[in-house]
């Protein structure tokens, strides 16, 4: 399996609250001050081998949707 932390924190808040991130078991992205989109892209690329075929994804709704068609309210 992959050796990954519970979460990866990025962005200005991650830098400001880096100690809280670590205490909670997370890891501060080494490039946390860059665009969070870049961090997500790097993370996806690093885990590409663990990806599954999108057709194999099955949605499981655990509550009714918030959106309703007009007249259903």
């Amino acid at each position: 399996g992959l050796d990954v932390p519970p979460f990866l924190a990025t962005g200005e808040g991650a830098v400001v609250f880096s100690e809280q991130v670590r205490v909670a078991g997370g890891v501060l992205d080494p490039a946390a001050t860059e665009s969070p989109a870049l961090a997500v892209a790097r993370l996806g690329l690093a885990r590409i081998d663990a990806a599954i075929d999108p057709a194999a994804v099955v949605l499981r709704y655990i509550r009714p949707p918030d959106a309703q068609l007009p007249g259903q309210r």
Side-chain angles (χ1 to χ4, degrees):
L2 293 173
D3 183 25
V4 293
F7 65 94
L8 178 70
T10 191
E12 182 181 352
V15 174
V16 171
F17 298 104
S18 61
E19 184 59 29
Q20 289 87 339
V21 167
R22 288 184 188 90
V23 167
V27 172
L28 189 65
D29 183 349
T33 58
E34 291 181 3
S35 166
L38 294 175
V40 171
R42 279 191 303 272
L43 188 59
L45 187 58
R47 296 179 178 177
I48 193 97
D49 292 337
I52 63 170
D53 183 340
V57 174
V58 178
L59 300 178
R60 187 182 81 182
Y61 294 100
I62 57 175
R63 66 177 181 85
D66 294 330
Q68 295 180 350
L69 294 173
Q72 290 183 331
R73 298 176 192 225

